[in-house]
Amino acid sequence: MPELPDVENYRRVLARNGLRKTIQRVVVRDARILGRLSARKFASRLHGRQLIETRRHGKHLLARIDRGGWLALHFGMIGALAFVRAGEDDPPFTRVRFEFARDGCLVYTSKRMLGRVGMTEDAGEFIAGHELGPDALDRHLDFAAFKAALLEGKSTAKSALMNQKKIAGIGNIFADEILFRARIDPTERTDRLEPAELRRLFRKMRDVLETSITRGAGSEHFAERVPRGFLIPERRKGGQCPRCGSHLKLFKAGSRTGYCCPRCQRC
Ligand SMILES: [Zn+2]
């Protein structure tokens, strides 16, 4: 389930391998991923063009097209962006291939077709249209702004962190990780948190997201590369707290299953 760290690494894949290269052909393997946009129209807007800039906001990835407009990618539940060299096989569930005139192609994969590939004329309008709050790693998101966003309305710590209108980029897995690292009960209401807990939450949010980017979130081997003390490798039945060894507690938040340590987080 791609969240901010995963999508940031896909952005880096695009920035490293996909900028300033002429797109020779766009192959749409499954047009459902485009929603209402026609595959022919989509391909024709990219044909012969170059991507010249990347931008990520929360879980959305955008790439500016040299003659105007932006390519907009969202990864749904199980999606990714990868660079495939000439002669290499496409990864499974490839839905769209962006083939360059020389040197390989970028492939967008989506296992369950819940992602979206599209176009937008203006990146700023696109973000505004999705009612996204500031990106969780935005330099301008300081503690005061974070606190104000979290305390607005009555919600639990976990649902506040996952609310894209408050702060963009955090989903189920990283919300659990951040709350675990901050030792906060995910089901506690934000207005009941101590000032020190809110500070810790802010610090751990940045720390967890930045560390996960560096350790390769979004790649297959991420679970093996996460630092010691992270909850992610223990997210399974019978998983144990990496800090105190307690059996993790499963809880439901909406339709998603969360994990927390009953001892460290008093959950
Ligand atoms: Zn524990």
Side-chain angles (χ1 to χ4, degrees), residues 195-259:
E197 290 181 309
L198 284 166
R199 282 222 168 258
R200 216 157 61 221
L201 197 55
F202 180 62
R203 221 173 41 236
K204 292 298 177 187
M205 174 185 78
R206 305 198 75 122
D207 177 47
V208 163
L209 297 175
E210 277 165 3
T211 304
S212 300
I213 293 167
T214 316
R215 298 293 177 111
S219 76
E220 274 174 56
H221 308 291
F222 175 57
E224 298 148 32
R225 286 196 212 145
V226 295
R228 201 179 289 230
F230 263 47
L231 186 73
I232 285 173
E234 295 293 327
R235 293 182 66 91
R236 56 190 157 77
K237 258 199 184 131
Q240 289 177 337
C241 171
R243 205 177 145 259
C244 74
S246 299
H247 280 287
L248 296 176
K249 181 173 155 185
L250 266 72
F251 66 99
K252 285 270 175 196
S255 59
R256 318 291 298 279
T257 303
Y259 292 83

Side-chain angles (χ1 to χ4, degrees), residues 80-170:
L81 189 72
F83 181 65
V84 175
R85 283 169 213 292
E88 283 178 0
D89 289 338
D90 283 350
F93 310 108
T94 292
R95 308 301 182 187
V96 184
R97 283 171 62 97
F98 303 93
E99 300 178 357
F100 299 114
R102 302 174 200 210
D103 185 25
C105 62
L106 280 170
V107 299
Y108 170 94
T109 65
S110 178
K111 187 173 177 186
R112 290 213 245 146
M113 298 294 293
L114 291 167
R116 192 58 88 222
V117 174
M119 294 270 183
T120 181
E121 298 314 312
D122 185 278
E125 272 174 30
F126 178 86
I127 291 159
H130 280 77
E131 297 180 26
L132 299 172
D135 185 79
L137 287 182
D138 189 329
R139 281 179 298 117
H140 302 295
L141 179 70
D142 57 10
F143 175 65
F146 171 81
K147 186 177 157 188
L150 244 67
L151 292 181
E152 202 198 338
K154 280 181 183 152
S155 52
T156 63
K158 180 163 180 182
S159 59
L161 278 179
M162 286 175 65
N163 184 340
Q164 304 301 298
K165 292 180 186 175
K166 290 182 182 290
I167 296 161
I170 300 164

